[in-house]
Amino acid sequence: MATLDCTAGNLNLDLTAGRDKTFTVTVSAFNTTGCTHKAQFRETPDMDSNVLFTLSTENSQITQSPGTNSTVTFQILAANTSAYAGRTIYWSWKITFGDSTTDDWLEGFVTIQATPTA
């Protein structure tokens, strides 16, 4: 679990291709009530690179428990990573507030390990 006490932090991820992965971020001293979330996984850190897959509150792959110390849970499905074994990609998380302003929150590299065969 990562603790976030300011915006634009870094969190690198290590995933296994074709396996579900859930992780939770605690947002210290911040209330996410009324916020929506989007995490995009891309070829490279260049925001013009191809989006490989997206997690969001809209597709229910990001959920939150709002409150003063909010938790935000990300659910990466096996189908999201199955085609990317052995690759390193990039992810970024944006939060949209009730007034429609958007901020970058976390970003980092994602190492996707091959699925063990044994």
Side-chain angles (χ1 to χ4, degrees), residues 37-39 41 53-56 59 61-62 74-76 80:
H37 309 272
K38 181 185 278 186
F41 292 74
F53 60 95
T54 300
L55 312 180
S56 68
N59 69 14
Q61 283 181 267
I62 300 177
F74 298 79
Q75 181 184 18
I76 300 171
N80 294 139

Side-chain angles (χ1 to χ4, degrees), residues 41-46 49-52 84 87-90:
F41 292 74
R42 299 176 172 275
E43 293 276 350
T44 68
D46 176 358
S49 70
N50 291 338
V51 175
L52 304 173
Y84 306 112
R87 293 186 53 194
T88 298
I89 61 175
Y90 178 82

